[in-house]
Amino acid sequence: MAGLRVQTLIFVLVGALAILDRTFVEANFDKNFIVTWGKHHIGTTNGNLRLVLDKSAGSAIRSKVAHLFGTVEMLIKLVPGNSAGTVAAYYMSSTGTAHDEIDFEFLGNSTGEPYTIHTNIFAKGKGDREQQFKPWFNPTNGFHNYTIHWNPSEVVWFVDGTPIRVFRNYEKEGIAYPNKQGMKVFASLWSADDWATQGGRVKTNWTQAPFVAEGRRYKARTCLWQGPASIKQCADPTIKSNWWTSPSFSQLTRSQIDRMQKIRSGFMIYDYCKDTNRFKGVMPPECSKRQF
């Protein structure tokens, strides 16, 4: 009987470890990411990330594993001072021409002028869904939490725990939704002074280089992508470890919506769903749907 209890305990522990391995990564950047470019412009200290940009090169990393549904988050400190022309990006993406992608991009500005928090989403290669915000805090003075929550019902962008944007799943109505491709996590710092700051009117001042952005405490509580079988497995609400499929995560709470609406009414500076000139009056179909 004692031997049976020991065997049972071992089975439970192994099963629990398997679930943790499938759904949670608290990343040491050295172990869980690879450099995609700018090898000599990237540093890590005590598990923290340092991305550097100068006139010779920028820098970028990506996760070794891909994810389908869950939450990824990172604390980020943006380039201080005159960051005009620079872009710090933190996003998820699959590959190919019909790729999925969920973006945070931080567009630099001249000293004393606010950053732009730029968000976008691609589904089956279709993007052009930008929403932009001015920060209600100083993103260069300390670290702030940027979280992407993604499940079969909706994608939510959070800043310091407050939702700022939602994109709901209306796939049944012919609107593409990112739910069939695993996405890796990327972080980068690069120059885009042809468009990033005031439409490209303000260029990068290279005498201010090197520009430095920092990241720490990256966490991924997700379903790891194991190929096409994950499409069903990661969306299965009967699997207990698929916490993101719980009805409580299918819709923001009233309190969350109230907080989000305050941010959107006070700090949103661009919404593609209101840009009738851009779309010549034929608006993207999701613009007429409830998102939150």
Side-chain angles (χ1 to χ4, degrees):
M1 183 64 71
L4 179 60
R5 284 198 295 267
V6 170
Q7 288 179 338
T8 302
L9 177 60
I10 291 173
F11 177 79
V12 170
L13 288 173
V14 169
L17 289 171
I19 289 173
L20 286 172
D21 180 65
R22 193 170 75 83
T23 64
F24 181 77
V25 175
E26 185 162 10
N28 179 303
F29 289 102
D30 291 324
K31 294 181 180 179
N32 294 283
F33 285 78
I34 64 172
V35 175
T36 55
W37 39 274
K39 179 178 180 181
H40 300 294
H41 286 63
I42 293 177
T44 56
T45 303
N46 297 324
N48 294 337
L49 174 68
R50 177 182 167 92
L51 296 173
V52 177
L53 165 69
D54 61 24
K55 202 166 186 178
S56 68
S59 47
I61 61 171
R62 68 164 173 81
S63 62
K64 293 180 179 179
V65 299
H67 314 268
L68 182 64
F69 302 139
T71 294
V72 297
E73 62 180 285
M74 189 189 302
L75 297 182
I76 299 173
K77 182 180 179 181
L78 298 178
V79 175
N82 186 354
S83 58
T86 70
V87 177
Y90 161 58
Y91 62 102
M92 304 183 71
S93 183
S94 60
T95 58
T97 56
H99 78 293
D100 294 339
E101 184 174 329
I102 305 169
D103 295 344
F104 270 114
E105 289 185 314
F106 308 96
L107 313 185
N109 214 331
S110 303
T111 301
E113 296 296 322
Y115 264 81
T116 296
I117 300 174
H118 176 98
T119 67
N120 200 359
I121 184 168
F122 290 72
K124 298 182 180 178
K126 175 68 172 65
D128 299 329
R129 296 180 168 109
E130 302 91 345
Q131 291 184 357
Q132 296 181 335
F133 305 80
K134 292 299 183 186
W136 49 101
F137 55 92
N138 184 347
T140 71
N141 184 16
F143 289 82
H144 293 268
N145 182 293
Y146 302 92
T147 295
I148 296 169
H149 179 74
W150 167 39
N151 65 33
S153 300
E154 61 184 11
V155 177
V156 187
W157 292 252
F158 290 86
V159 176
D160 287 336
T162 296
I164 64 170
R165 178 180 183 179
V166 179
F167 184 84
R168 294 195 66 80
N169 184 352
Y170 286 103
E171 188 176 43
K172 291 182 179 179
E173 299 182 39
I175 300 169
Y177 185 80
N179 57 5
K180 295 179 177 65
Q181 301 182 61
M183 292 194 276
K184 293 183 178 180
V185 179
F186 296 76
S188 61
L189 179 62
W190 48 291
S191 175
D193 67 3
D194 57 328
W195 64 270
T197 304
Q198 299 178 34
R201 292 186 296 275
V202 182
K203 304 298 184 181
T204 303
N205 182 353
W206 292 110
T207 66
Q208 302 293 311
F211 303 99
V212 178
E214 300 175 76
R216 63 170 58 161
R217 286 174 55 188
Y218 166 77
K219 294 181 181 179
R221 293 169 290 159
T222 66
C223 190
L224 298 186
W225 174 255
Q226 306 286 353
S230 295
I231 296 172
K232 181 177 180 181
Q233 182 185 31
C234 294
D236 188 344
T238 67
I239 297 177
K240 290 184 178 180
S241 59
N242 288 356
W243 56 269
W244 48 84
T245 63
S246 167
S248 62
F249 290 101
S250 66
Q251 173 69 50
L252 296 181
T253 66
R254 183 69 257 172
S255 174
Q256 287 176 317
I257 291 173
D258 288 344
R259 289 159 54 203
M260 180 174 62
Q261 288 179 325
K262 288 180 180 179
I263 296 299
R264 293 174 69 84
S265 64
F267 300 95
M268 176 181 277
I269 57 172
Y270 179 80
D271 182 358
Y272 76 107
C273 280
K274 296 179 180 178
D275 195 343
T276 55
N277 290 333
R278 175 184 179 183
F279 296 103
K280 296 180 172 56
V282 183
M283 304 306 293
E286 67 272 12
C287 292
S288 62
K289 305 294 182 183
R290 180 182 67 85
Q291 296 296 333
F292 49 85

